[in-house]
Amino acid sequence: MNAKFLFIGSLNDFLNYKQKGKTLEVTFSGNPGIKDIIESLGVPHVEIQLIKVNSIPVDFSYHIRNTDKVEIFPFSSGVVPSEKDRPSFILDVHLGKLARYLRMMGFDSMYRNDFSDPELVTLSCKENRILLTRDIGILKHGCLRYGYWVRATVALEQAKEVASHYNLCTSVLPFSLCMECNSSLLKVNKSQIEEKIPPLTRKYYDSYSQCVNCHKIYWQGSHFERMNNLLKQICPQLN
Ligand SMILES: [Zn+2]
């Protein structure tokens, strides 16, 4: 028995160059689940918005029949958990720099360089965090509802890609989260932290924030300018 599969738009990113844009013929026996076949072709379910079989929408519980014609459509933009005001993320171990950029933009981004795959999946499912990864395999885990395969390989490009996909630039809250540990920053009086800042900094800057967790101190000095420049690169509309 066989069925025909056509992946639309960005879902072709998961196919090899011979398959892109082509109708793929799949041979099978029995009546396998559509999710299994789609994922065996390399496409994770979290990036799929709609599946049509013989022009009729079906869900992932559908089982393939002989001569079915399947079309698979991607989300045109990222799906954000509806129960949250702002999207929050959990990032795979190789995306540390991207996590820092997202924190810089004020988006809760959980990251550790030693998370295991099951930990990433469990936290994403339990806390409705969008799982960002460069590892397609992890996105095929059944419980995942929110996930995205980051296409770019350079951190700044990744930040632009994720910001655009999830429309983050309209709700940036710069410097509200600690870039090191993802906790909140609070304004502090200079007098409270005076002994912790270098003398020249103390002389030139009056406005300071401190992380409630790791106590790192932030001020509007040269690294603030650097971060502002990065922000404008990630979100050109902020210029
Ligand atoms: Zn911190």
Side-chain angles (χ1 to χ4, degrees):
M1 290 189 283
N2 62 74
K4 290 189 164 107
F5 285 73
L6 180 63
F7 290 94
I8 310 295
S10 62
L11 298 179
N12 282 281
D13 294 350
F14 297 100
L15 304 181
N16 69 39
Y17 74 99
K18 281 184 186 160
Q19 297 173 317
K20 285 183 200 298
K22 305 264 166 56
T23 298
L24 309 178
E25 197 150 322
V26 174
T27 310
F28 59 92
S29 54
N31 64 337
I34 200 164
K35 178 175 182 288
D36 293 337
I37 294 197
I38 287 173
E39 292 195 330
S40 73
L41 291 166
V43 181
H45 68 280
V46 287
E47 296 217 3
I48 295 169
Q49 180 173 32
L50 174 69
I51 306 168
K52 287 182 178 175
V53 175
N54 307 320
S55 302
I56 295 164
V58 301
D59 62 28
F60 283 113
S61 64
Y62 181 83
H63 286 259
I64 286 289
R65 297 186 196 135
N66 194 24
T67 73
D68 274 348
K69 285 194 177 71
V70 185
E71 294 166 286
I72 305 110
F73 298 82
F75 285 106
S76 54
S77 60
V79 200
V80 167
S82 56
E83 59 278 18
K84 288 191 176 179
D85 297 344
R86 293 169 69 69
S88 60
F89 299 91
I90 182 162
L91 292 91
D92 206 341
V93 294
H94 48 267
L95 295 176
K97 213 162 173 191
L98 176 60
R100 291 171 66 87
Y101 286 150
L102 291 172
R103 290 169 183 171
M104 181 180 78
M105 297 165 76
F107 294 96
D108 174 354
S109 299
M110 196 182 258
Y111 170 79
R112 271 202 349 236
N113 64 7
D114 61 350
F115 272 139
S116 66
D117 284 4
E119 282 175 314
L120 288 164
V121 168
T122 304
L123 282 162
S124 170
C125 296
K126 210 168 88 187
E127 300 186 10
N128 286 329
R129 289 177 177 274
I130 299 162
L131 175 57
L132 299 178
T133 181
R134 291 262 316 134
D135 170 9
I136 296 167
I138 193 175
L139 292 177
K140 295 177 183 172
H141 198 284
C143 87
L144 283 178
R145 288 166 65 206
Y146 308 107
Y148 177 68
W149 180 55
V150 180
R151 271 69 164 172
T153 52
V154 176
L156 187 61
E157 296 308 312
Q158 294 173 334
K160 290 180 195 172
E161 180 187 328
V162 172
S164 149
H165 189 64
Y166 287 100
N167 196 24
L168 301 182
C169 291
T170 53
S171 52
V172 170
L173 290 173
F175 319 114
S176 56
L177 292 178
C178 179
M179 287 172 72
E180 304 298 330
C181 78
N182 199 38
S183 298
S184 300
L185 298 184
L186 286 183
K187 289 241 173 288
V188 280
N189 283 329
K190 198 175 176 177
S191 59
Q192 287 173 268
I193 45 145
E194 212 143 26
E195 74 286 2
K196 290 181 188 154
I197 40 180
L200 271 180
T201 305
R202 212 181 303 162
K203 190 170 161 198
Y204 290 112
Y205 299 101
D206 290 320
S207 173
Y208 296 88
S209 304
Q210 190 170 28
C211 172
V212 296
N213 177 50
C214 75
H215 308 298
K216 185 181 157 91
I217 296 164
Y218 292 79
W219 60 86
Q220 304 215 338
S222 55
H223 84 166
F224 178 87
E225 267 167 42
R226 208 187 127 252
M227 291 201 282
N228 245 334
N229 279 334
L230 280 170
L231 252 178
K232 286 176 185 169
Q233 287 181 60
I234 297 165
C235 298
Q237 55 268 62
L238 297 177
N239 275 307

